[in-house]
Amino acid sequence: MRHLNLYWLRVLVEDINSDPKWADIKHVALPFGMRSCWSEPIKSSTGKVLGAFGMYYNHPALPTQDESDDLTSAAMLAGILMDRDHNQKRIQELAFKDPLTGFASRASLYIDLDAFIAHSAANNQRFSLLYLDLDNFKDINDSLGHDIGDLHLQTIATQLESVCLSSHFIARLGGDEFCIVAKEASDTVLASEIATRYLNAVSTPCYLSGRKHTQTSSIGIAFYPQDGTDSQSLLKAADTALYTAKDHGKNQYAFYSKALTKQAEYRLKVEQYLREAIENQSLSLAYQPQIELRTGLCVGVEALSRWYHPELGQVSPIDFISTAERIGMIQPLTELVLKTACTQAVNWQLQGLGSMRVAINISPNHFLDPDFIPLIKRVITDTGIQASNLELEVIETVAQTEHKNLPVFAELKELGVLLAIDDFGTGYSSFASLKHLKLDCIKIDKYFIDDLLTDNKTQLLVGSIIEMAHNLGCSVIAEGIEALGQVEILKRLGCDIVQGYLFCEPTSLMVLQHY
């Protein structure tokens, strides 16, 4: 009733016919014999008003003490029942609906997927399951915060909804992972079309903290029943296909195949055994000498991680380093490599081999880690290496695309550590981006060196890189040298240092060579 909206307190109306609060609506109540009304607000356990409990009589009256107590008790009982009903609905909503995006939850997906599998089995039907994951979403949370990340997920949900058909079922599994059941997608052609629509929807430009942003995603696709006959196996197949899409460069979809299962199992073993290897410090290092062209002397080494496992055999650094980044073990792996390499460099100096520079590759993820600079300081102190004998190699995209990384570069230079851009020329090369950095070295990738003997344009490009580097005050190292002819050309172009199989393969022993 309208007066209850104003007061939310007990209201006692002795005579509806004469009470001004009922003046506008008494003509509705009186024909039904309602002459008096006593009402008590119904409240939740937190004090929130849920409604009102009313008692009506066919004669004018006010409640006795017993009737007043009954009114209070009835309202309290109604509050308990309404509270319980509300909580049950809320619990069910939280269990089966994702509160952030409004999509179905993981639990709801399992139930609905099982039901649809049963229906499809009974009717001999096929359908596809799309497993969608946002590319590099972790960078948004790390750089802008989880609040912005949540807002971004809500934007993505709206974009997904814009292409969602009535025959589709979308669920959020958690984080930045979504599953889409496409009931009509019974073959690769339809599944491809649907996946493309969702990829395009996600990549619609939006704004993050006032800046235009284009989000990309990757999708793994599995079919019922060929890729899985129950929800668990079907989800596993789609997830496996998702990793294929990621491995092939992201921003695309990939289909599941039996071969992918073996790859997924291998990947899981690598993850499990790598944790143990890092914790037990059972990885090793190989060192590749770096030869100064002017003198023919070894002036430094590049330290390269190596991992041999009794069951897995020799695991490629590409595999286990990317795995370490994915499972959050890159920091302890880097610390292990730094300490081992720096200790070895100090030992070589004590053995009379002279001051030896050691170069170590650093993951871009470290530039977002507040413990990175303290780690470098700790390694220098613990191993006793001169800071000028430690060279950290980073890929060029770290320098170009992440201006927030510049203070980290500056702090490293203050420590006296040498900095090198690795694989220069193979990424998003930008000479302008280098002007902000105080680099010591630029490394030319093997991609260019391989064509030095056969392609004049490559010689011109390498000569330009060397000239540019020298003008910026940087030395130049050429990687992947395998022929004397390459050495002669690099000498002529003014390259400072070379490394490659021509001189020495990466080895656990230090080799000094003249050539």
Side-chain angles (χ1 to χ4, degrees):
M1 296 175 50
R2 289 183 295 176
H3 58 271
L4 292 180
N5 290 333
L6 295 175
Y7 299 106
W8 298 114
L9 299 171
R10 169 178 283 196
V11 177
L12 302 177
V13 176
E14 183 177 5
D15 189 347
I16 290 175
N17 187 44
S18 60
D19 195 295
K21 290 188 287 294
W22 280 79
D24 294 338
I25 56 173
K26 65 181 181 179
H27 64 280
V28 177
L30 292 175
F32 290 93
M34 299 179 184
R35 292 299 306 274
S36 59
C37 172
W38 314 332
S39 61
E40 181 82 6
I42 301 173
K43 297 182 179 181
S44 69
S45 58
T46 60
K48 180 182 178 181
V49 175
L50 304 175
F53 186 89
M55 297 176 66
Y56 294 86
Y57 287 83
N58 58 5
H59 59 275
L62 289 174
T64 64
Q65 184 60 49
D66 289 341
E67 290 171 329
S68 177
D69 293 341
D70 290 343
L71 181 61
T72 301
S73 297
M76 289 179 61
L77 181 59
I80 292 171
L81 294 174
M82 292 175 70
D83 226 1
R84 186 180 68 174
D85 181 64
H86 172 77
N87 289 337
Q88 287 177 337
K89 289 179 180 178
R90 181 59 177 159
I91 290 171
Q92 186 174 20
E93 182 178 295
L94 290 173
F96 297 108
K97 185 176 181 181
D98 175 51
L100 184 65
T101 63
F103 289 149
S105 67
R106 179 188 292 268
S108 179
L109 172 66
Y110 287 147
I111 294 173
D112 287 356
L113 186 55
D114 283 337
F116 193 65
I117 286 174
H119 174 80
S120 299
N123 294 276
N124 194 28
Q125 293 176 336
R126 286 161 49 93
F127 68 89
S128 63
L129 177 68
L130 282 61
Y131 203 125
L132 184 149
D133 180 83
L134 303 182
D135 297 332
N136 305 316
F137 177 73
K138 183 177 181 295
D139 293 344
I140 294 175
N141 279 337
D142 289 343
S143 59
L144 301 177
H146 288 272
D147 289 342
I148 298 297
D150 286 348
L151 290 174
H152 185 52
L153 285 173
Q154 290 174 332
T155 299
I156 295 300
T158 301
Q159 293 170 336
L160 292 175
E161 270 190 317
S162 69
V163 296
C164 180
L165 303 178
S166 58
S167 57
H168 296 177
F169 174 83
I170 304 181
R172 180 186 175 218
L173 299 187
D176 60 336
E177 296 180 326
F178 300 85
C179 269
I180 304 160
V181 178
K183 300 176 182 179
E184 81 280 20
S186 58
D187 58 49
T188 56
V189 174
L190 286 172
S192 297
E193 292 176 353
I194 292 169
T196 300
R197 288 205 299 268
Y198 281 107
L199 289 174
N200 291 340
V202 171
S203 63
T204 302
C206 59
Y207 287 87
L208 280 176
S209 295
R211 299 177 63 181
K212 192 173 183 179
H213 176 75
T214 299
Q215 178 68 60
T216 62
S217 60
S218 301
I219 296 177
I221 306 173
F223 288 99
Y224 171 86
Q226 68 192 60
D227 297 329
T229 55
D230 57 70
S231 58
Q232 292 290 345
S233 60
L234 199 58
L235 281 165
K236 180 180 178 182
D239 185 33
T240 301
L242 171 65
Y243 271 97
T244 301
K246 295 272 190 186
D247 291 342
H248 288 172
K250 303 178 181 179
N251 194 27
Q252 59 186 279
Y253 61 82
F255 291 98
Y256 173 78
S257 70
K258 294 297 182 182
L260 297 180
T261 299
K262 293 183 178 180
Q263 294 177 13
E265 292 172 351
Y266 175 78
R267 185 175 64 245
L268 181 60
K269 286 183 179 180
V270 171
E271 291 179 4
Q272 293 172 337
Y273 295 144
L274 181 60
R275 290 182 185 274
E276 298 174 4
I278 294 174
E279 292 170 357
N280 299 332
Q281 300 187 11
S282 57
L283 280 78
S284 61
L285 292 185
Y287 301 92
Q288 186 167 51
Q290 296 175 333
I291 309 302
E292 187 177 54
L293 284 177
R294 183 177 58 84
T295 63
L297 294 175
C298 177
V299 293
V301 295
E302 180 178 0
L304 303 166
S305 301
R306 295 290 183 264
W307 180 32
Y308 176 83
H309 187 272
E311 179 181 342
L312 302 177
Q314 195 72 44
V315 183
S316 165
I318 295 176
D319 287 342
F320 72 76
I321 291 175
S322 63
T323 298
E325 291 177 335
R326 187 173 65 250
I327 66 175
M329 293 295 288
I330 192 65
Q331 198 274 349
L333 173 59
T334 300
E335 183 168 2
L336 174 61
V337 172
L338 281 166
K339 287 185 175 180
T340 303
C342 290
T343 299
Q344 182 63 73
V346 172
N347 288 339
W348 283 327
Q349 188 171 4
L350 294 175
Q351 293 167 14
L353 295 177
S355 181
M356 189 66 61
R357 186 186 70 248
V358 60
I360 299 168
N361 287 282
I362 297 297
S363 167
N365 292 341
H366 286 302
F367 287 82
L368 298 174
D369 183 358
D371 190 49
F372 180 52
I373 296 298
L375 168 62
I376 299 300
K377 291 180 179 178
R378 193 162 62 245
V379 167
I380 292 173
T381 301
D382 292 348
T383 63
I385 192 172
Q386 294 178 6
S388 58
N389 284 338
L390 173 59
E391 181 176 88
L392 303 180
E393 298 183 359
V394 297
I395 58 175
E396 59 186 291
T397 50
V398 175
Q400 181 182 349
T401 62
E402 301 292 346
H403 292 295
K404 58 180 174 291
N405 293 334
L406 298 182
V408 180
F409 277 91
E411 288 188 71
L412 290 171
K413 289 306 299 177
E414 288 180 9
L415 292 176
V417 172
L418 303 180
L419 296 175
I421 296 296
D422 194 19
D423 299 335
F424 187 83
T426 60
Y428 301 97
S429 302
S430 172
F431 293 168
S433 66
L434 301 181
K435 72 179 182 179
H436 303 291
L437 304 174
K438 294 181 179 178
L439 294 173
D440 299 283
C441 178
I442 287 177
K443 300 190 72 175
I444 301 176
D445 188 72
K446 185 178 185 296
Y447 171 82
F448 293 98
I449 304 305
D450 288 343
D451 295 332
L452 269 183
L453 296 176
T454 58
D455 186 8
N456 290 332
K457 289 184 179 180
T458 298
Q459 292 186 25
L460 290 173
L461 286 171
V462 171
S464 297
I465 293 174
I466 292 172
E467 182 180 2
M468 177 274 301
H470 287 164
N471 288 337
L472 292 174
C474 300
S475 61
V476 178
I477 298 178
E479 300 179 282
I481 308 300
E482 297 179 356
L484 282 172
Q486 294 170 333
V487 175
E488 295 304 323
I489 292 174
L490 289 168
K491 262 187 177 181
R492 176 167 54 81
L493 294 176
C495 184
D496 303 294
I497 299 170
V498 290
Q499 68 179 81
Y501 282 15
L502 176 65
F503 309 99
C504 181
E505 295 185 15
T507 176
S508 57
L509 300 176
M510 178 60 199
V511 180
L512 291 176
Q513 287 199 17
H514 292 268
Y515 66 91

